[in-house]
Amino acid sequence: NPKKSFSKYKGVTESPIRAKKRFRVSFLIDGKNRHQGCFDNEKEAAMKYDELVIDKYGEDALTNKKLYPEDFI
């Protein structure tokens, strides 16, 4: 059973399978964790998560950019 590899970014995991696009974005929708896409790099995936969470919860949502501002200058 492959082990999940977590990213430092909220909503991002590294695929345990050697896929071309290694970083997956998941988002809780109606109480269920939903896969939202795969990305080449961790930061790109984190930015997609931020976009999704802002769309759902508004500008006050807790985003990766707020948690790690130094990464998104």
Coordinates of all heavy atoms in Angstrom, one line a residue:
N1 N 0.8 -1.2 0.0 CA 0.0 0.0 0.0 C 0.9 1.2 0.0 O 1.7 1.4 0.9 CB -0.9 0.0 1.2 CG -2.1 0.9 1.1 OD1 -2.3 1.5 0.1 ND2 -2.9 1.0 2.1
P2 N 0.8 2.1 -1.1 CA 1.7 3.3 -1.1 C 1.4 4.3 0.0 O 0.3 4.5 0.4 CB 1.4 3.9 -2.5 CG 0.3 3.1 -3.1 CD -0.1 2.0 -2.2
K3 N 2.5 4.9 0.5 CA 2.3 5.9 1.5 C 2.1 7.3 0.9 O 2.8 7.6 -0.1 CB 3.6 5.9 2.3 CG 3.6 6.9 3.5 CD 5.0 6.8 4.2 CE 5.1 7.9 5.2 NZ 6.4 8.0 5.8
K4 N 1.2 8.0 1.4 CA 0.9 9.4 1.0 C 2.1 10.3 1.4 O 2.5 10.2 2.5 CB -0.4 9.9 1.5 CG -1.6 9.6 0.7 CD -2.7 10.5 1.2 CE -3.9 10.2 0.3 NZ -5.1 11.0 0.8
S5 N 2.5 11.1 0.5 CA 3.5 12.1 0.8 C 2.9 13.5 0.9 O 2.3 13.9 -0.1 CB 4.6 12.0 -0.2 OG 5.6 12.9 0.1
F6 N 3.0 14.1 2.0 CA 2.3 15.4 2.2 C 3.2 16.6 1.9 O 4.4 16.5 2.1 CB 1.8 15.6 3.6 CG 0.7 14.6 3.9 CD1 0.9 13.4 4.5 CD2 -0.6 15.0 3.6 CE1 -0.1 12.5 4.7 CE2 -1.7 14.1 3.9 CZ -1.4 12.8 4.4
S7 N 2.7 17.6 1.3 CA 3.4 18.8 1.0 C 3.3 19.7 2.3 O 2.4 19.6 3.1 CB 2.7 19.5 -0.2 OG 3.0 20.8 -0.3
K8 N 4.1 20.7 2.3 CA 4.0 21.7 3.4 C 2.8 22.6 3.2 O 2.3 23.2 4.1 CB 5.2 22.6 3.5 CG 5.4 23.7 2.5 CD 6.6 24.5 2.9 CE 6.7 25.8 2.1 NZ 7.9 26.6 2.5
Y9 N 2.3 22.6 1.9 CA 1.1 23.5 1.6 C -0.2 22.8 1.9 O -0.4 21.6 1.6 CB 1.2 23.9 0.1 CG 2.4 24.7 -0.2 CD1 3.3 24.3 -1.1 CD2 2.6 26.0 0.3 CE1 4.5 25.0 -1.4 CE2 3.7 26.7 0.0 CZ 4.6 26.3 -0.9 OH 5.7 27.0 -1.2
K10 N -1.1 23.6 2.3 CA -2.5 23.2 2.6 C -3.2 22.7 1.3 O -3.1 23.4 0.3 CB -3.2 24.4 3.2 CG -4.6 24.1 3.8 CD -5.0 25.3 4.6 CE -6.4 25.1 5.1 NZ -6.5 24.1 6.1
G11 N -3.8 21.5 1.3 CA -4.5 21.0 0.2 C -3.7 20.3 -0.9 O -4.2 19.9 -1.9
V12 N -2.4 20.2 -0.6 CA -1.5 19.6 -1.6 C -0.9 18.4 -1.1 O -0.4 18.3 0.0 CB -0.4 20.6 -2.0 CG1 0.6 20.0 -3.0 CG2 -1.0 21.9 -2.6
T13 N -0.8 17.3 -1.9 CA -0.1 16.1 -1.6 C 0.8 15.7 -2.8 O 0.5 16.1 -3.9 CB -1.0 14.9 -1.2 OG1 -1.9 14.7 -2.3 CG2 -1.8 15.1 0.0
E14 N 1.9 15.0 -2.5 CA 2.7 14.5 -3.6 C 2.2 13.1 -3.9 O 2.1 12.3 -3.0 CB 4.2 14.5 -3.2 CG 5.1 14.2 -4.3 CD 6.6 14.4 -3.9 OE1 6.9 14.7 -2.8 OE2 7.4 14.2 -4.8
S15 N 2.0 12.9 -5.2 CA 1.6 11.6 -5.6 C 2.6 10.5 -5.3 O 3.8 10.7 -5.6 CB 1.3 11.6 -7.1 OG 0.9 10.3 -7.5
P16 N 2.2 9.4 -4.7 CA 3.1 8.3 -4.4 C 3.5 7.6 -5.7 O 4.5 6.8 -5.6 CB 2.3 7.4 -3.5 CG 0.9 7.7 -3.8 CD 0.8 9.1 -4.2
I17 N 2.8 7.8 -6.7 CA 3.2 7.1 -8.0 C 4.0 8.1 -8.8 O 3.8 9.3 -8.8 CB 1.8 6.8 -8.8 CG1 1.0 5.9 -7.9 CG2 2.1 6.2 -10.1 CD1 -0.4 5.8 -8.5
R18 N 5.0 7.6 -9.5 CA 5.9 8.4 -10.3 C 5.2 8.9 -11.5 O 5.5 8.5 -12.7 CB 7.1 7.6 -10.7 CG 8.0 7.2 -9.5 CD 9.0 8.4 -9.3 NE 9.8 8.0 -8.1 CZ 10.2 8.9 -7.2 NH1 9.8 10.1 -7.3 NH2 10.9 8.5 -6.2
A19 N 4.3 9.9 -11.3 CA 3.5 10.4 -12.4 C 4.3 11.7 -13.0 O 5.1 12.3 -12.3 CB 2.1 10.8 -11.9
K20 N 3.9 12.0 -14.2 CA 4.5 13.2 -14.8 C 4.2 14.5 -14.0 O 5.0 15.3 -13.7 CB 4.1 13.4 -16.2 CG 4.8 14.5 -17.0 CD 4.4 14.5 -18.4 CE 5.1 15.7 -19.1 NZ 4.8 15.8 -20.5
K21 N 2.9 14.6 -13.6 CA 2.5 15.7 -12.8 C 2.3 15.2 -11.4 O 1.4 14.5 -11.1 CB 1.2 16.3 -13.3 CG 1.4 16.9 -14.7 CD 0.2 17.7 -15.1 CE 0.5 18.3 -16.5 NZ -0.1 19.5 -16.7
R22 N 3.3 15.5 -10.5 CA 3.4 14.8 -9.2 C 2.6 15.4 -8.1 O 2.3 14.7 -7.1 CB 4.9 14.9 -8.8 CG 5.8 14.1 -9.7 CD 7.2 14.2 -9.2 NE 7.4 14.6 -7.8 CZ 8.5 15.1 -7.4 NH1 9.5 15.3 -8.1 NH2 8.6 15.4 -6.1
F23 N 2.1 16.6 -8.2 CA 1.5 17.3 -7.0 C 0.0 17.4 -7.3 O -0.5 17.9 -8.3 CB 2.1 18.6 -6.7 CG 3.5 18.5 -6.3 CD1 4.5 18.6 -7.2 CD2 3.8 18.2 -5.0 CE1 5.9 18.4 -6.8 CE2 5.1 18.0 -4.6 CZ 6.2 18.2 -5.5
R24 N -0.8 16.8 -6.3 CA -2.3 16.8 -6.4 C -2.9 17.8 -5.5 O -2.4 18.0 -4.4 CB -2.8 15.4 -6.0 CG -2.4 14.3 -6.9 CD -2.8 13.0 -6.4 NE -4.3 13.0 -6.1 CZ -5.1 12.1 -6.5 NH1 -4.7 11.1 -7.1 NH2 -6.4 12.2 -6.2
V25 N -4.0 18.4 -6.0 CA -4.8 19.3 -5.1 C -6.1 18.6 -4.8 O -6.8 18.1 -5.7 CB -5.0 20.6 -5.9 CG1 -6.0 21.5 -5.1 CG2 -3.7 21.4 -6.1
S26 N -6.4 18.6 -3.5 CA -7.7 18.1 -3.0 C -8.4 19.2 -2.2 O -7.7 20.0 -1.5 CB -7.5 16.9 -2.2 OG -6.9 15.8 -2.9
F27 N -9.7 19.2 -2.3 CA -10.5 20.2 -1.6 C -11.7 19.6 -1.1 O -12.4 18.8 -1.7 CB -10.8 21.3 -2.7 CG -11.4 22.5 -2.1 CD1 -10.6 23.4 -1.4 CD2 -12.7 22.8 -2.3 CE1 -11.2 24.6 -0.9 CE2 -13.3 24.0 -1.8 CZ -12.5 24.8 -1.1
L28 N -12.1 20.0 0.1 CA -13.3 19.4 0.8 C -14.6 20.1 0.2 O -14.7 21.3 0.2 CB -13.2 19.7 2.3 CG -14.1 18.8 3.1 CD1 -13.7 17.3 3.0 CD2 -14.0 19.2 4.6
I29 N -15.4 19.3 -0.5 CA -16.6 19.8 -1.1 C -17.8 19.0 -0.5 O -17.8 17.8 -0.7 CB -16.6 19.8 -2.6 CG1 -15.4 20.6 -3.2 CG2 -17.9 20.2 -3.2 CD1 -15.2 20.4 -4.6
D30 N -18.7 19.6 0.1 CA -19.9 18.9 0.7 C -19.5 17.8 1.6 O -20.0 16.7 1.5 CB -20.9 18.5 -0.4 CG -21.4 19.6 -1.2 OD1 -21.7 20.7 -0.6 OD2 -21.6 19.5 -2.4
G31 N -18.4 18.0 2.4 CA -18.0 17.0 3.3 C -17.1 15.9 2.7 O -16.8 14.9 3.4
K32 N -16.8 15.9 1.4 CA -16.0 14.9 0.8 C -14.8 15.5 0.2 O -14.8 16.6 -0.4 CB -16.9 14.2 -0.3 CG -18.0 13.4 0.3 CD -18.8 12.7 -0.8 CE -19.9 11.9 -0.2 NZ -20.7 11.2 -1.1
N33 N -13.7 14.8 0.3 CA -12.4 15.2 -0.2 C -12.4 15.0 -1.7 O -12.5 13.8 -2.2 CB -11.3 14.5 0.4 CG -10.0 15.3 0.3 OD1 -10.0 16.5 0.0 ND2 -8.9 14.6 0.6
R34 N -12.3 16.0 -2.6 CA -12.4 15.9 -4.0 C -11.1 16.3 -4.7 O -10.6 17.4 -4.4 CB -13.5 16.8 -4.6 CG -14.9 16.5 -4.0 CD -15.5 15.3 -4.5 NE -16.8 15.2 -4.0 CZ -17.6 14.1 -4.2 NH1 -17.1 13.1 -4.9 NH2 -18.8 14.1 -3.7
H35 N -10.6 15.4 -5.5 CA -9.4 15.7 -6.3 C -9.7 16.8 -7.3 O -10.7 16.8 -8.0 CB -9.0 14.4 -7.0 CG -7.9 14.6 -8.0 ND1 -6.6 14.8 -7.6 CD2 -7.9 14.6 -9.4 CE1 -5.9 14.9 -8.7 NE2 -6.6 14.8 -9.7
Q36 N -8.8 17.9 -7.3 CA -9.1 19.0 -8.2 C -8.0 19.2 -9.3 O -8.0 20.2 -9.9 CB -9.1 20.3 -7.3 CG -10.3 20.3 -6.3 CD -11.6 20.3 -7.0 OE1 -11.9 21.1 -7.9 NE2 -12.5 19.4 -6.6
G37 N -7.1 18.3 -9.4 CA -6.1 18.4 -10.5 C -4.7 18.0 -10.0 O -4.4 17.9 -8.9
C38 N -3.8 17.8 -11.0 CA -2.4 17.5 -10.8 C -1.6 18.5 -11.5 O -1.9 19.1 -12.5 CB -2.1 16.1 -11.4 SG -2.9 14.7 -10.6
F39 N -0.4 18.8 -10.8 CA 0.5 19.9 -11.2 C 1.9 19.4 -11.2 O 2.3 18.5 -10.5 CB 0.3 21.1 -10.3 CG -1.2 21.6 -10.4 CD1 -2.1 21.1 -9.6 CD2 -1.5 22.6 -11.3 CE1 -3.5 21.5 -9.6 CE2 -2.8 23.0 -11.3 CZ -3.8 22.5 -10.5
D40 N 2.7 20.1 -12.0 CA 4.1 19.8 -12.1 C 4.9 20.1 -10.9 O 5.9 19.5 -10.6 CB 4.8 20.5 -13.3 CG 4.2 20.1 -14.7 OD1 3.9 18.9 -14.8 OD2 4.1 20.9 -15.6
N41 N 4.5 21.2 -10.2 CA 5.3 21.6 -9.0 C 4.4 22.0 -7.9 O 3.2 22.3 -8.0 CB 6.3 22.7 -9.3 CG 5.6 24.0 -9.7 OD1 4.9 24.6 -8.9 ND2 5.9 24.5 -10.9
E42 N 5.0 21.9 -6.7 CA 4.2 22.1 -5.4 C 3.6 23.5 -5.3 O 2.5 23.6 -4.9 CB 5.2 21.9 -4.3 CG 4.7 21.6 -3.0 CD 5.8 21.3 -2.0 OE1 7.0 21.5 -2.2 OE2 5.4 20.8 -0.9
K43 N 4.4 24.5 -5.7 CA 3.9 25.9 -5.6 C 2.7 26.1 -6.5 O 1.7 26.8 -6.2 CB 5.0 26.8 -5.9 CG 4.7 28.3 -5.6 CD 5.9 29.1 -5.8 CE 5.6 30.6 -5.7 NZ 6.8 31.4 -5.9
E44 N 2.7 25.6 -7.7 CA 1.6 25.7 -8.7 C 0.4 25.1 -8.1 O -0.7 25.6 -8.2 CB 2.1 25.0 -10.0 CG 1.1 25.2 -11.2 CD 1.6 24.5 -12.4 OE1 2.9 24.1 -12.5 OE2 0.8 24.2 -13.3
A45 N 0.5 23.9 -7.5 CA -0.6 23.2 -6.9 C -1.2 24.1 -5.7 O -2.4 24.2 -5.6 CB -0.2 21.9 -6.4
A46 N -0.3 24.7 -4.9 CA -0.7 25.5 -3.8 C -1.5 26.7 -4.3 O -2.5 27.1 -3.6 CB 0.5 25.9 -3.0
M47 N -1.1 27.3 -5.4 CA -1.8 28.5 -5.9 C -3.2 28.1 -6.4 O -4.2 28.8 -6.2 CB -1.0 29.1 -7.0 CG 0.3 29.8 -6.5 SD 1.4 30.6 -7.6 CE 1.0 30.1 -9.2
K48 N -3.3 26.9 -7.0 CA -4.7 26.4 -7.4 C -5.5 26.2 -6.2 O -6.7 26.5 -6.2 CB -4.5 25.1 -8.2 CG -5.8 24.5 -8.7 CD -6.5 25.5 -9.6 CE -7.8 24.9 -10.2 NZ -8.5 25.8 -11.0
Y49 N -5.0 25.6 -5.1 CA -5.8 25.4 -3.9 C -6.3 26.7 -3.4 O -7.4 26.9 -3.0 CB -4.9 24.7 -2.8 CG -5.7 24.6 -1.5 CD1 -6.5 23.6 -1.3 CD2 -5.5 25.6 -0.5 CE1 -7.3 23.5 -0.1 CE2 -6.3 25.5 0.7 CZ -7.1 24.5 0.9 OH -7.8 24.4 2.0
D50 N -5.4 27.7 -3.4 CA -5.8 29.1 -2.9 C -6.9 29.6 -3.7 O -7.9 30.2 -3.2 CB -4.6 30.0 -3.0 CG -3.6 29.8 -1.9 OD1 -3.8 28.8 -1.1 OD2 -2.6 30.5 -1.8
E51 N -6.9 29.5 -5.0 CA -7.9 29.9 -5.9 C -9.3 29.3 -5.6 O -10.3 29.9 -5.5 CB -7.5 29.6 -7.4 CG -8.5 30.0 -8.4 CD -8.1 29.5 -9.8 OE1 -6.9 29.7 -10.1 OE2 -8.9 28.9 -10.5
L52 N -9.2 28.0 -5.3 CA -10.5 27.2 -5.0 C -11.0 27.6 -3.7 O -12.3 27.8 -3.6 CB -10.2 25.7 -5.0 CG -9.8 25.1 -6.4 CD1 -9.2 23.7 -6.2 CD2 -11.1 25.1 -7.2
V53 N -10.2 27.8 -2.7 CA -10.7 28.1 -1.3 C -11.2 29.6 -1.3 O -12.2 29.8 -0.6 CB -9.6 27.8 -0.3 CG1 -8.5 28.9 -0.2 CG2 -10.2 27.6 1.1
I54 N -10.6 30.5 -2.1 CA -11.1 31.8 -2.1 C -12.5 31.9 -2.8 O -13.4 32.5 -2.4 CB -10.1 32.8 -2.8 CG1 -8.9 33.0 -1.9 CG2 -10.8 34.1 -3.2 CD1 -7.7 33.7 -2.5
D55 N -12.6 31.1 -3.9 CA -13.9 31.0 -4.6 C -15.0 30.5 -3.7 O -16.1 30.9 -3.8 CB -13.8 30.1 -5.8 CG -13.1 30.7 -7.0 OD1 -12.8 31.9 -7.0 OD2 -12.7 30.0 -8.0
K56 N -14.7 29.5 -2.8 CA -15.7 28.9 -2.0 C -16.0 29.8 -0.7 O -17.1 29.9 -0.3 CB -15.3 27.5 -1.6 CG -16.3 26.8 -0.7 CD -16.4 25.4 -1.0 CE -17.4 24.7 -0.1 NZ -18.7 24.6 -0.6
Y57 N -14.9 30.3 -0.1 CA -15.1 31.0 1.2 C -14.8 32.5 1.2 O -15.0 33.1 2.2 CB -14.1 30.3 2.2 CG -14.5 28.8 2.5 CD1 -13.6 27.8 2.0 CD2 -15.6 28.5 3.1 CE1 -14.0 26.5 2.2 CE2 -16.0 27.2 3.3 CZ -15.1 26.2 2.9 OH -15.4 24.8 3.1
G58 N -14.4 33.0 0.1 CA -14.1 34.4 0.0 C -12.7 34.8 0.4 O -11.9 34.0 0.8
E59 N -12.4 36.1 0.3 CA -11.1 36.6 0.5 C -10.5 36.4 2.0 O -9.3 36.5 2.2 CB -11.0 38.1 0.2 CG -11.2 38.4 -1.2 CD -10.1 37.9 -2.1 OE1 -8.9 37.9 -1.7 OE2 -10.4 37.5 -3.2
D60 N -11.4 36.1 2.9 CA -10.9 35.9 4.3 C -10.5 34.4 4.5 O -10.1 34.1 5.6 CB -12.0 36.2 5.3 CG -12.3 37.7 5.3 OD1 -11.4 38.5 5.1 OD2 -13.4 38.1 5.7
A61 N -10.6 33.6 3.5 CA -10.2 32.2 3.6 C -8.7 32.0 4.0 O -7.9 32.9 3.6 CB -10.5 31.4 2.3
L62 N -8.4 31.0 4.7 CA -7.0 30.7 5.0 C -6.3 30.1 3.8 O -6.6 28.9 3.4 CB -6.9 29.8 6.2 CG -5.5 29.5 6.8 CD1 -4.8 30.8 7.1 CD2 -5.5 28.6 8.0
T63 N -5.4 30.8 3.2 CA -4.7 30.3 2.0 C -3.3 30.0 2.3 O -2.7 30.5 3.3 CB -4.8 31.4 0.9 OG1 -4.1 32.6 1.4 CG2 -6.2 31.7 0.5
N64 N -2.7 29.4 1.3 CA -1.2 29.1 1.4 C -0.4 30.4 1.4 O 0.6 30.5 2.0 CB -0.8 28.2 0.3 CG -1.3 26.8 0.5 OD1 -1.0 26.1 1.5 ND2 -2.1 26.2 -0.4
K65 N -0.9 31.3 0.6 CA -0.2 32.6 0.5 C -0.2 33.4 1.8 O 0.8 34.0 2.2 CB -0.9 33.5 -0.6 CG -0.2 34.7 -0.9 CD -0.8 35.5 -2.1 CE 0.1 36.7 -2.5 NZ -0.4 37.3 -3.7
K66 N -1.3 33.2 2.6 CA -1.3 33.8 3.9 C -0.4 33.0 4.9 O 0.2 33.6 5.8 CB -2.7 33.9 4.5 CG -3.6 34.9 3.7 CD -5.0 34.9 4.2 CE -5.9 35.8 3.5 NZ -7.3 35.7 3.8
L67 N -0.4 31.7 4.8 CA 0.4 30.9 5.7 C 1.9 31.0 5.4 O 2.7 30.9 6.3 CB 0.0 29.4 5.5 CG -1.4 29.1 6.1 CD1 -1.8 27.6 5.7 CD2 -1.4 29.2 7.6
Y68 N 2.3 31.1 4.1 CA 3.7 31.1 3.7 C 3.9 32.3 2.7 O 4.3 32.1 1.6 CB 4.0 29.8 3.0 CG 3.7 28.6 3.8 CD1 2.6 27.8 3.6 CD2 4.6 28.2 4.8 CE1 2.3 26.7 4.4 CE2 4.3 27.1 5.6 CZ 3.2 26.3 5.3 OH 2.9 25.2 6.1
P69 N 3.7 33.5 3.2 CA 3.9 34.7 2.3 C 5.2 34.8 1.7 O 5.3 35.3 0.5 CB 3.6 35.9 3.3 CG 3.8 35.4 4.6 CD 3.5 33.9 4.6
E70 N 6.3 34.3 2.3 CA 7.6 34.4 1.8 C 7.8 33.5 0.5 O 8.6 33.8 -0.3 CB 8.7 34.0 2.8 CG 8.6 32.5 3.2 CD 7.5 32.2 4.3 OE1 6.8 33.0 4.7 OE2 7.5 31.0 4.6
D71 N 6.9 32.5 0.3 CA 7.0 31.7 -0.9 C 6.2 32.3 -2.1 O 6.4 31.8 -3.2 CB 6.3 30.3 -0.6 CG 7.2 29.5 0.4 OD1 8.3 29.9 0.8 OD2 6.7 28.4 0.8
F72 N 5.5 33.3 -1.8 CA 4.6 33.8 -2.9 C 4.9 35.3 -3.1 O 4.0 36.1 -3.4 CB 3.1 33.6 -2.6 CG 2.8 32.1 -2.5 CD1 2.9 31.5 -1.2 CD2 2.5 31.4 -3.6 CE1 2.6 30.1 -1.1 CE2 2.2 30.1 -3.5 CZ 2.3 29.4 -2.3
I73 N 6.1 35.7 -3.1 CA 6.5 37.1 -3.4 C 6.6 37.4 -4.8 O 7.0 36.6 -5.6 CB 7.9 37.4 -2.7 CG1 7.7 37.3 -1.2 CG2 8.3 38.8 -3.1 CD1 9.0 37.4 -0.4

